[in-house]
Amino acid sequence: ILSVTHGDAPSEFQQAQEAHQEGDFARAAELYQAALNAKNVREWIQHDARWGRADCLYRTGDLKGAAAVLAEMGSGPASKGRFLWLAKLRTAQCQIFQKDFTTAVVTLAGLKSSSGNWGDGVRELWEPRILEAQKDYEKARQGYVQASGRLGRHPDLKEQAQARAAACQSALGKPQEALAALQSLMEQAQPEKPGGIALNVASGEACLALARAATQDKAEVQKQAFKGLMFF
């Protein structure tokens, strides 16, 4: 399925989707709520509107608000809708960035699958992120490296794991090693894909780390800072 169109959705829902796609997340969140408040809104439209609102709140930094909407998606006939895996992942992300690490571990465990589906893939990617958020960069790096070895079926997730491993190297004071590892990966990646974007961001972070370290050489600071910013 490439897309789903609700022909009988309230006008606010269509407007919310347009704002969402344009990156106007604050406006989209309000419009999704207006769609939920409309009369006779079917279950599946409610499901999609809740996911859209939760995603937009998350992207605006309202983690508490996003988590509350995501919790509402866990009940009712549409609780097993098409955004099930994304809703679980977003819930875990909200918990991680609110430093509720114990609960995040449990939430991510709910994505585990013996079939190695996409949900299991994002679990592999985000479990080391808990260690990274706790500033245990070496264990996080090891976790990302191990995850990347198991994510061959999901190239974008694999590249994101490789990018986070490099970011941890930079955080450990080894940005030059991080850049060396990223160079060959970036040559093979598609820059417009999530994995390619993650690799670019990690490269920028490594260059900025080099700039911060070159405190005695103003020209080198400017060079590395410029290179770093060009990746973003």
Side-chain angles (χ1 to χ4, degrees), residues 41-102:
V41 178
R42 291 187 301 119
E43 292 168 351
W44 292 104
I45 297 174
Q46 291 180 31
H47 173 80
D48 286 15
R50 284 196 175 92
W51 162 252
R53 177 168 167 77
D55 184 54
C56 289
L57 290 173
Y58 174 84
R59 292 174 186 275
T60 61
D62 185 357
L63 301 178
K64 187 175 180 180
V69 179
L70 289 165
E72 294 175 5
M73 293 180 66
S75 60
S79 60
K80 297 187 183 299
R82 64 194 182 106
F83 292 115
L84 173 64
W85 296 116
L86 283 171
K88 287 185 178 181
L89 172 62
R90 275 285 186 269
T91 299
Q93 290 169 329
C94 289
Q95 292 161 349
I96 291 170
F97 296 132
Q98 291 182 100
K99 303 186 185 301
D100 187 1
F101 302 125
T102 302

Side-chain angles (χ1 to χ4, degrees), residues 153-184:
R153 290 177 58 186
H154 308 286
D156 268 349
L157 297 180
K158 179 176 181 177
E159 288 171 347
Q160 289 177 63
Q162 292 168 326
R164 294 317 308 168
C168 287
Q169 274 191 309
S170 294
L172 287 165
K174 301 176 181 179
Q176 195 66 57
E177 292 180 23
L179 277 175
L182 288 164
Q183 185 173 358
S184 61

Side-chain angles (χ1 to χ4, degrees), residues 4-15 17 32 35-36 38-42 44-46 48-49:
V4 174
T5 300
H6 298 290
D8 59 346
S11 60
E12 293 91 347
F13 181 79
Q14 307 293 351
Q15 293 168 19
Q17 288 189 312
Y32 279 125
L36 287 166
K39 294 181 179 180
N40 302 318
V41 178
R42 291 187 301 119
W44 292 104
I45 297 174
Q46 291 180 31
D48 286 15

Side-chain angles (χ1 to χ4, degrees), residues 94-142:
C94 289
Q95 292 161 349
I96 291 170
F97 296 132
Q98 291 182 100
K99 303 186 185 301
D100 187 1
F101 302 125
T102 302
T103 308
V105 169
V106 176
T107 302
L108 287 172
L111 290 166
K112 191 169 186 178
S113 166
S114 59
S115 63
N117 59 21
W118 182 87
D120 195 55
V122 295
R123 176 189 62 80
E124 293 265 17
L125 174 63
W126 278 86
E127 282 181 339
R129 194 64 177 260
I130 296 173
L131 294 168
E132 187 180 350
Q134 293 172 309
K135 300 187 185 303
D136 192 344
Y137 297 117
E138 180 53 34
K139 283 188 179 179
R141 187 194 66 79
Q142 293 174 15

